Amino acid sequence: MSGAGETRGTLWGIGLGPGDPELVTVKAARIIGSADVVAYHSARHGRSIARSIAEPYLRGDQIEEHLVYPVTTEVSDHPGGYAGAMEDFYREAAERIAAHLEAGRDVALLAEGDPLFYSSYMHMHTRLTERFEAVIVPGVTSVSAASAAVATPLVQGDQVLTILPGTLPPDELERRLSDTDAAVILKLGRSYPAVRKALSASGRLDDAFYVERASTARQRVMAADDVDDASVPYFALAMLVGRQHVEAPTGSVSVVGLGPGDIDWMTPQSRRELAAATDLIGYGPYLDRVGAREGQRRHPSDNSDEPARARLACTLAEQGRTVAVVSSGDPGVFAMATAVLEEAKQWPGVEVRVIPAMTAAQAVASRVGAPLGHDYAVISLSDRLKPWDVIAARLTAAAAADMVLAIYNPASKTRTWQVGAMQELLLEHRDPGTPVVIGRDVSGPDETIKVVRLADLDQRDVDMRCLLIVGSSQTQWYSGGEDSPGRVFTPRHYPQG
């Protein structure tokens, strides 16, 4: 290691592991023993957990920098409150360490667990690494120690593990717990009552473990519901392990909406239904959006024979399979829910559930603002299942009522004239300057958004992957820059009289 009078020292962020000195890595032990300066934090009582873990590896003649927090959870009389007191502390602590580094002394800054995992080390790292070299020595986290303490795998296969701070609002904790296979909730202490509430509300309390001071002589492991709220320290966590088998009703069909394309727009409920299914049925490209899971059967088809898909779903469900039929967007909007429910009338023993999702109209609207902010009608231009006369009558009625129109299925390879016919009908009731939003492949790799005047709508710009939103007399369009479609919105108020 370097000494005074030489080049600048190195800052070492040392992960000490969860508490057991024997879980300190070989590298961490070597760096601790050879550093010129060993720095560590503690509360005002002065007892440093980090130093106690590292003590077997200290030389005895090293400089020690004891960094004492001015506050932990209590109220501060600092003019800037708690945040101001901590900001001053971290700035002053960083300067104390910087003085050693400037003098050429290497500093081992100790951190329980891992230095970059919910650690105080990060506050020093961000303040010092612009001026000094820093090296991170990773450590075993409390998550791994807790998993070992209960001797249970956290996750298996494709299961998802979520790490959560217990300081999140209970409603947010509940949402995230409902959307994951397994979870670890850190930073308990005073937040434990809220954590217990979130676990209970998400239906996961009976499956959760409580682990306190993992890997130390004071380690405690118990059911999360058996914990006395008043006895929970900061160094405790709640742990939900992934279920070995996802529970789902057998002999059932769920019609699952995937949303318009982006996986971030898929709901947690849709993801759970897809994970629980034994069989997935749907249009091939839609199934491709669903990750393959071990043991699932996939039944892809083209996008034309919906009754055949519905019949297969009911057949498999009657055999005791758990079937998910996938739909783009929302399954109840010009999609598979109706086809499955029609077929299911002939299968009295088959349960059918419809899992909603974001619609294509909502997705397109979001790209330009809020064109659907007032009353609107949703109409399909496809005349494959209903005659054009019916479509024309509905377009005319909605246009005469001055409603915004969300137009699904505006064109296909074989249907090329309907957009032009619609334009003629609407111009009988709408100003030529009415904005029309053309959304194509929204949230997909080929997304394009364009806004044109109704009079300028060109059917050659519209294909089967498009959705149109036609404004009302009140819809406003503010054009953007050269590469922007601008902003479109329909006010919520409507002129009186």
Side-chain angles (χ1 to χ4, degrees):
M1 307 296 280
S2 60
E6 300 179 7
T7 58
R8 286 181 166 193
T10 297
L11 173 65
W12 293 86
I14 304 295
L16 296 172
D20 183 350
E22 291 186 332
L23 290 179
V24 174
T25 66
V26 172
K27 184 172 184 177
R30 176 173 61 82
I31 300 300
I32 293 168
S34 57
D36 304 306
V37 180
V38 177
Y40 46 85
H41 295 85
S42 82
R44 287 188 294 182
H45 52 60
R47 298 184 298 276
S48 170
I49 296 174
R51 190 191 185 285
S52 68
I53 299 171
E55 187 171 11
Y57 310 107
L58 297 174
R59 291 200 314 267
D61 61 346
Q62 293 157 301
I63 300 170
E64 295 191 19
E65 283 289 357
H66 187 180
L67 310 174
V68 181
Y69 294 116
V71 289
T72 48
T73 59
E74 65 270 22
V75 176
S76 172
D77 58 4
H78 188 282
Y82 177 89
M86 294 304 292
E87 176 61 30
D88 284 352
F89 164 70
Y90 285 126
R91 183 178 62 254
E92 293 165 4
E95 290 309 311
R96 286 169 61 181
I97 292 172
H100 291 295
L101 297 172
E102 287 281 11
R105 292 187 282 271
D106 288 338
V107 178
L109 180 52
L110 308 181
E112 296 103 296
D114 183 90
L116 298 181
F117 187 76
Y118 291 111
S119 168
S120 295
Y121 168 80
M122 292 182 286
H123 296 283
M124 298 294 101
H125 187 85
T126 56
R127 287 167 170 80
L128 293 169
T129 49
E130 289 186 1
R131 292 184 284 165
F132 305 100
E133 179 186 3
V135 180
I136 305 297
V137 180
V140 177
T141 69
S142 59
V143 174
S144 297
S147 181
V150 299
T152 302
L154 267 175
V155 283
Q156 304 178 57
D158 294 331
Q159 290 179 327
V160 175
L161 170 65
T162 302
I163 307 295
L164 300 166
T167 49
L168 286 175
D171 289 349
E172 180 67 7
L173 271 176
E174 179 188 346
R175 182 184 72 80
R176 292 177 180 268
L177 288 169
S178 298
D179 189 26
T180 191
D181 301 305
V184 174
I185 309 172
L186 306 172
K187 301 185 179 183
L188 296 187
R190 296 180 183 181
S191 68
Y192 193 72
V195 170
R196 186 204 299 271
K197 178 181 177 182
L199 285 166
S200 179
S202 62
R204 312 290 296 271
L205 182 59
D206 291 342
D207 301 327
F209 293 96
Y210 168 86
V211 183
E212 179 179 310
R213 298 185 173 92
S215 84
T216 73
R218 300 168 64 190
Q219 172 180 293
R220 285 203 307 162
V221 178
M222 56 199 305
D225 197 25
D226 294 340
V227 179
D228 177 8
D229 291 349
S231 69
V232 177
Y234 182 82
F235 290 102
L237 58 79
M239 186 171 69
L240 267 176
V241 300
R243 298 188 179 104
Q244 291 189 357
H245 301 285
V246 180
E247 299 175 2
T250 58
S252 66
V253 179
S254 60
V255 192
V256 180
L258 302 180
D262 191 325
I263 192 171
D264 288 342
W265 289 352
M266 190 187 302
T267 68
Q269 185 181 14
S270 290
R271 287 196 286 267
R272 287 196 298 272
E273 293 287 341
L274 295 171
T278 60
D279 294 76
L280 299 177
I281 296 174
Y283 178 42
Y286 297 163
L287 284 182
D288 290 342
R289 289 166 50 187
V290 180
R293 291 180 180 269
E294 185 178 355
Q296 282 183 329
R297 299 178 188 173
R298 300 163 75 88
H299 307 271
S301 65
D302 63 26
N303 203 25
S304 58
D305 197 350
E306 292 180 352
R309 256 179 274 162
R311 195 174 309 114
L312 174 60
C314 292
T315 300
L316 292 173
E318 191 179 54
Q319 297 170 5
R321 310 289 291 177
T322 303
V323 183
V325 179
V326 301
S327 268
S328 180
D330 183 276
V333 180
F334 304 122
M336 280 300 300
T338 299
V340 173
L341 289 167
E342 284 181 340
E343 176 66 27
K345 289 189 299 183
Q346 305 171 50
W347 306 78
V350 172
E351 176 193 356
V352 177
R353 291 168 294 114
V354 178
I355 311 303
M358 183 188 294
T359 68
Q362 291 169 319
V364 172
S366 72
R367 291 304 200 226
V368 295
L372 305 181
H374 206 290
D375 300 337
Y376 67 95
V378 179
I379 297 177
S380 170
L381 288 197
S382 173
D383 58 357
R384 189 168 67 89
L385 299 176
K386 63 179 183 288
W388 175 255
D389 288 348
V390 172
I391 298 171
R394 291 175 178 176
L395 286 170
T396 300
D402 198 22
M403 299 175 72
V404 174
L405 293 162
I407 304 297
Y408 280 69
N409 306 312
S412 70
K413 291 180 180 178
T414 58
R415 293 187 299 105
T416 59
W417 57 269
Q418 280 89 343
V419 170
M422 175 197 73
Q423 181 184 31
E424 290 182 12
L425 286 171
L426 296 183
L427 282 171
E428 295 178 10
H429 301 274
R430 296 286 160 89
D431 185 272
T434 300
V436 179
V437 183
I438 305 173
R440 185 178 188 277
D441 192 34
V442 170
S443 82
D446 299 318
E447 174 180 319
T448 58
I449 299 290
K450 185 177 181 181
V451 183
V452 300
R453 300 167 70 249
L454 178 58
D456 299 331
L457 178 61
D458 188 338
Q459 64 187 29
R460 292 172 297 183
D461 293 335
V462 181
D463 61 25
M464 62 188 299
R465 300 178 69 185
C466 291
L467 181 137
L468 309 180
I469 297 177
V470 183
S472 71
S473 67
Q474 303 302 305
T475 302
Q476 300 180 31
W477 173 26
Y478 295 92
S479 58
E482 185 176 338
D483 298 323
S484 170
R487 310 303 290 172
V488 181
F489 70 92
T490 304
R492 294 172 61 190
H493 57 80
Y494 201 85
Q496 300 294 319

